[in-house]
Amino acid sequence: MRIRSARRSDLRLLQDIERAAGEPFRTLGMTSVADDDPPPLDLLESYRRAGRCWVATDPLSTTGDRPLGYVIADPVDGALHIEQISVDPVAARRGIGRALIAHLAVLATEQGLTALTLTTFSEVPWNAPYYTRIGFRVLPEDELTDGLRTIRGDESQHGLDRWPRVCMRRDLLPARPSAAVAVGGAS
């Protein structure tokens, strides 16, 4: 598997991945999540230009360098916040999401950020339970930062609070002093 910065030519494929990744929510009765539009191209392009959009590919597969999953992230209150991470269901259970998160952890650590954060559905098996297995913990209300509160407020206005949601955090070890690179650098 290869993780690289997203290219402009990838962005429509990322929308397709998002649509496909939403379909399993339909089986849980979460049709509005399944039917939600993917991030618009201009938003994905802004993440790409800022160097905060990465894709996972499998150069040895029949899809070659075609993205199988992607992640976009923002620095929020000293952490790198995973705004969206999606994997094409045809490539599920191959460690793609885990690899994308590991990539973010390295970048965040090198940038001097202290953690990865995300918001997710607490009762969806491939959401909070999955993130718990890979080292995230649910944040109690008194540990939410101002930035996470703002994100949760935006999600609530978007209707995501129809199902239980949580903020999660995975603390990171500090980087060795020898390496510091910017979170970014898209081509």
Side-chain angles (χ1 to χ4, degrees), residues 27 31 45 71 92 110 126 132 140 187:
T27 65
T31 55
E45 174 62 10
V71 63
E110 290 172 345
W126 58 89
T132 299
S187 54

Side-chain angles (χ1 to χ4, degrees), residues 101-144:
I101 289 170
H103 181 77
L104 288 185
V106 169
L107 293 174
T109 300
E110 290 172 345
Q111 188 64 30
L113 300 173
T114 60
L116 297 177
T117 60
L118 56 84
T119 59
T120 192
F121 296 109
S122 62
E123 297 174 4
V124 173
W126 58 89
N127 280 192
Y130 167 76
Y131 295 118
T132 299
R133 287 192 303 276
I134 63 168
F136 284 83
R137 67 180 175 86
V138 174
L139 289 174
E141 189 68 27
D142 65 343
E143 288 187 46
L144 297 183

Side-chain angles (χ1 to χ4, degrees), residues 15 29 39 41 49 55 60 66 114 131 159:
Q15 288 182 314
L41 289 174
R49 274 195 326 269
V55 300
L60 302 178
R66 185 178 190 276
T114 60
Y131 295 118

Side-chain angles (χ1 to χ4, degrees), residues 31-73:
T31 55
S32 63
V33 174
D35 293 339
D36 196 32
D37 289 330
L41 289 174
D42 62 336
L43 179 64
L44 291 171
E45 174 62 10
S46 71
Y47 274 97
R48 188 196 71 78
R49 274 195 326 269
R52 295 193 322 266
C53 181
W54 298 271
V55 300
T57 67
D58 183 356
L60 302 178
S61 77
T62 58
T63 62
D65 197 43
R66 185 178 190 276
L68 300 172
Y70 79 99
V71 63
I72 56 179

Side-chain angles (χ1 to χ4, degrees), residues 17-32:
I17 289 169
E18 188 65 28
R19 283 184 198 97
E23 278 305 307
F25 287 93
R26 197 173 307 284
T27 65
L28 300 176
M30 300 170 73
T31 55
S32 63

